[in-house]
Amino acid sequence: MMPMKGMNPKQMQKLMKQLGIKMEELEGVKEVIIRLENKEIVIKDAAVTVITAMGEKSYQIVGKEEVREVLNIPEEDIKLVMEQAGVDYETAKKALEETKGDLAEAILKLQES
């Protein structure tokens, strides 16, 4: 373990340079989005630091997170609603999103309107 306690910033920078580690802040970051299979983690007004070591980049992100649920609607479902309800792609997709992917409910909703 390296003795870091009591090390001044100049000494720290020198040590990092000797180890081939470079750190820099990314300017102008508005938000960072991490997309997972069924949700997104959104970090607004994030402070992002890029750390380059041994040719590899790592990103350190600091900020307040917000988790958003994401509904993945299969193309086949959208096409089925389009055919059954006689609507265009965007209308079918919107109906499926509003009904959380429920095919029957989406078709009935569109046929009633």
Side-chain angles (χ1 to χ4, degrees):
M1 196 83 179
M2 295 183 290
M4 303 241 183
K5 188 175 182 181
M7 187 178 287
N8 73 38
K10 285 189 179 186
Q11 287 176 319
M12 179 64 91
Q13 287 176 344
K14 185 178 178 183
L15 179 61
M16 288 176 59
K17 188 174 183 178
Q18 288 173 346
L19 294 172
I21 300 171
K22 180 182 172 190
M23 291 178 65
E24 66 178 291
E25 293 288 322
L26 283 183
E27 300 295 327
V29 176
K30 294 183 180 182
E31 69 180 9
V32 175
I33 302 173
I34 301 171
R35 289 193 173 93
L36 304 170
E37 190 171 314
N38 61 347
K39 65 182 175 179
E40 293 178 340
I41 300 171
V42 180
I43 304 167
K44 293 189 182 270
D45 298 320
V48 180
T49 304
V50 182
I51 303 164
T52 306
M54 296 187 297
E56 296 288 325
K57 287 186 177 182
S58 297
Y59 295 83
Q60 178 179 326
I61 304 164
V62 178
K64 185 172 167 115
E65 74 176 33
E66 170 189 325
V67 178
R68 299 179 189 162
E69 297 299 316
V70 175
L71 180 62
N72 293 318
I73 300 172
E75 288 293 313
E76 305 85 47
D77 290 0
I78 297 170
K79 289 177 182 174
L80 179 64
V81 172
M82 286 172 63
E83 293 169 8
Q84 294 294 316
V87 296
D88 64 34
Y89 182 91
E90 289 304 317
T91 305
K93 184 176 178 183
K94 184 177 178 187
L96 282 164
E97 288 169 349
E98 290 172 355
T99 61
K100 295 187 178 11
D102 187 317
L103 288 166
E105 188 179 342
I107 293 167
L108 287 171
K109 179 179 179 172
L110 290 168
Q111 288 175 341
E112 290 173 357
S113 55

